Each structure stands twice: as structure tokens, then as C-alpha cells.
């Protein structure tokens, strides 16, 4: 990409120097790292065989995670529609566009775990904090994708509807929705798949779901049950991925 060889090699040398400086500034304790490797071996040895005897806890945690993902995805799909419409520059007035874009930028700034910690501090431990966290993540993701799809769609159909004297709601229904609906549904299904995965992560900070059970087992050094939970999470994510691919294939 850089035609000048002097500039190209100079940037490469600077990148290598910066990498070496970054690794040196991290102050990694290599002796402690070697001890951690030994500790990891002991943990993994205590994980086998996995303990599925407490299957009722597994079922309860998985059910709660799925319920969180479904509720958050459904609420997020609904709330993302007005946010996405307002964040599209080709159909929204400039002040509304800037306000909606600001909301999307703000909600996308923080990772789900950071948002989950905030909601746990506000509402306490439990699935409510997890649902609200996933709702925020769903609105920001679906809303941004929806806004970009509206901005990138062809304007001919929308202009033809406007030429008939149709009102703005009818322009949205007949000019915008037919063009973005398949993409919107596909993105929403993808977000559902992502919420199933994230519902197992936010629980680690106390926001409900199977992740909260997993965090408790690590605190109790109950590693064989931890492996059973990890295998269950893998199976849950696999099923979610299969369902997401099947639905998106049907939408094509």
C-alpha cells in the first residue's frame, strides 16, 4: 500500500520498536507466569470428569440465560426501529439525526460487561440487570445496522411513493420497509444469537443466567461442575448458531 520503500521500511521499524516498548512497559512477571501455567495444569486435571449430577442447576441457569436473550432481543428489535429511523440522514432532520447518532455512539462505547456492572449496582444481582444490559446492546447494534441500511438503500422507490402525495408514515411503510425488512430480520436474528452468548458472560458479574452459576463454581473451586457448565454453554451457543443460520437461510 505504501510505494515509497524508505517510508514503508521506516514504518515497519517504528512498528517493531513500538511493539518491543509496549511489551517491556507491561512489566510481565515471567516467574509468576510459569507458576500460573502449573496452576492451570492442576485446575484442568481437577475438571475431569465433568460433574453433571447437579443438572437441575444447569437447567435453571440455561433457561434463565435463554429467557434473558429472548426478552432482550425482542425489546431491542422494537426499540431499535425508531432509533434506526431517526439515525438515517436521508429521512431524518439534522437535529434528530445527530441526537439519534449520539445515542448509538454512547450505547456502543461501553462493553456489555461494563454496562452489566452498572445495572447490577443500580438494580442488584439477578436477571433484570442482564436483560437491561442486552437490551442496550441490542438497540445499539440493530439500530446502527438499520440506519446504515436505510442510508444505503435506493431512493427511487421512496421518491416514487412521495410523488403520489403519500404522507411520511406511508413513505416508510411502502418505500422504506420493503427494502430493509429482510436485512432487519437477518440482523435481529444475528443479534439473538449474540445475546445467547453474551447472556452467559454478563452473569459472571452477577447479571443472572448460567454465567452467574459458573462464577460461583470457580469461587468454590468446584472445577468438575465448572467444566459441566462450560460444556453446556458450548452446546447452547452451538444450538443458537444453528438456529441463526437456519433462519437467515430461510430469509434469503
Amino acid at each position: 500500500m505504501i510505494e515509497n520503500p524508505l517510508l514503508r521500511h521506516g514504518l515497519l521499524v517504528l512498528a517493531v520498536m513500538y511493539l518491543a516498548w509496549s511489551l517491556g512497559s507491561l512489566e510481565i512477571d515471567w516467574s509468576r507466569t510459569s507458576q500460573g501455567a502449573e496452576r492451570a495444569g492442576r485446575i484442568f486435571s481437577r475438571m475431569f470428569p465433568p460433574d453433571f449430577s447437579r443438572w437441575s442447576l444447569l437447567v435453571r441457569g440455561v433457561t434463565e440465560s435463554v429467557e434473558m436473550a429472548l426478552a432482550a432481543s425482542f425489546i431491542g428489535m422494537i426499540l431499535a426501529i425508531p432509533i434506526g429511523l431517526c439515525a438515517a440522514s436521508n429521512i431524518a432532520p439534522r437535529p434528530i439525526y445527530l441526537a439519534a447518532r449520539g445515542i448509538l455512539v454512547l450505547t456502543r462505547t461501553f462493553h456489555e460487561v461494563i454496562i452489566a456492572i452498572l445495572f447490577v449496582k443500580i438494580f442488584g444481582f439477578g436477571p433484570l440487570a442482564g436483560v437491561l444490559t442486552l437490551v442496550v446492546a441490542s438497540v445499539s447494534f440493530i439500530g446502527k445496522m438499520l440506519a446504515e441500511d436505510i442510508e444505503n438503500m435506493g431512493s427511487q422507490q421512496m421518491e416514487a411513493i412521495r410523488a403520489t402525495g403519500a404522507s411520511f408514515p406511508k413513505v416508510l411503510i411502502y418505500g422504506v420497509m420493503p427494502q430493509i425488512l429482510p436485512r432487519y430480520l437477518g440482523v435481529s436474528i444475528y443479534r439473538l444469537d449474540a445475546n445467547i452468548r453474551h447472556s452467559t458472560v454478563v452473569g459472571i458479574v452477577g447479571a443472572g443466567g448460567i454465567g452467574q452459576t459458573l462464577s460461583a463454581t470457580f469461587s468454590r473451586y468446584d472445577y468438575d461442575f465448572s467444566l459441566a457448565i462450560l460444556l453446556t454453554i458450548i452446546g447452547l451457543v452451538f444450538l443458537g448458531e444453528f438456529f441463526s443460520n437456519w433462519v437467515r437461510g430461510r430469509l434469503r
Side-chain angles (χ1 to χ4, degrees), residues 83-84 87 99-109 139-140 143-144 147:
I83 296 293
R101 282 289 175 174
I103 293 174
L104 291 179
V105 170
L106 181 62
T107 54
R108 289 172 59 84
T109 300
V139 170
S140 63
K144 180 176 175 58

Side-chain angles (χ1 to χ4, degrees), residues 10 15 24 31 39-40 54 88 105 114 118 128 139 169 171 187 196 198 225 227 231:
S31 62
R39 191 179 305 112
R54 284 165 285 182
V105 170
I114 305 297
L118 175 64
L128 176 60
V139 170
V171 171
V187 169
I196 292 177
H198 294 160
F225 189 41
L227 180 58
L231 293 176

Side-chain angles (χ1 to χ4, degrees), residues 18-244:
Y18 177 75
L19 177 62
W21 175 80
S22 300
L23 292 176
S25 64
L26 291 177
E27 300 180 356
I28 300 175
D29 189 344
W30 294 107
S31 62
R32 185 173 180 179
T33 303
S34 62
Q35 296 174 4
E38 296 177 1
R39 191 179 305 112
R42 292 195 299 269
I43 291 175
F44 287 128
S45 64
R46 293 174 58 182
M47 280 186 170
F48 294 93
D51 180 17
F52 287 95
S53 60
R54 284 165 285 182
W55 58 269
S56 59
L57 290 177
L58 281 175
V59 173
R60 188 184 312 153
V62 169
T63 302
E64 191 170 86
S65 291
V66 172
E67 290 172 348
M68 288 166 52
L70 290 174
S73 299
F74 181 74
I75 297 173
M77 287 174 62
I78 296 175
L79 296 180
I81 294 176
I83 296 293
L85 292 174
C86 293
S89 59
N90 55 340
I91 64 173
R94 189 69 176 174
I96 296 178
Y97 164 78
L98 292 176
R101 282 289 175 174
I103 293 174
L104 291 179
V105 170
L106 181 62
T107 54
R108 289 172 59 84
T109 300
F110 302 103
H111 192 272
E112 284 85 353
V113 174
I114 305 297
I115 300 175
I117 292 174
L118 175 64
F119 281 130
V120 166
K121 291 296 183 180
I122 296 175
F123 299 104
F125 295 103
L128 176 60
V131 170
L132 293 177
T133 299
L134 298 178
V135 166
V136 172
S138 300
V139 170
S140 63
F141 181 81
I142 300 175
K144 180 176 175 58
M145 294 296 104
L146 181 61
E148 293 183 352
D149 287 339
I150 295 174
E151 291 179 342
N152 295 328
M153 71 180 184
S155 60
Q156 294 83 0
Q157 183 173 345
M158 190 166 57
E159 292 298 331
I161 300 298
R162 282 175 176 167
T164 64
S167 61
F168 182 72
K170 290 185 178 180
V171 171
L172 293 179
I173 295 174
Y174 298 106
V176 176
M177 189 176 69
Q179 298 186 70
I180 66 170
L181 184 59
R183 171 72 172 166
Y184 165 75
L185 293 177
V187 169
S188 299
I189 294 299
Y190 175 81
R191 188 63 221 181
L192 172 61
D193 175 41
N195 282 342
I196 292 177
R197 296 195 305 270
H198 294 160
S199 67
T200 64
V201 176
V202 297
I204 295 178
V205 295
I210 191 65
Q212 191 167 348
T213 307
L214 177 64
S215 178
T217 60
F218 277 115
S219 301
R220 296 194 303 265
Y221 307 102
D222 199 359
Y223 296 125
D224 52 351
F225 189 41
S226 299
L227 180 58
I229 295 175
L230 291 174
L231 293 176
T232 304
I233 291 175
I234 292 173
L236 177 63
V237 172
F238 176 79
L239 291 176
E241 182 73 17
F242 175 79
F243 174 75
S244 175

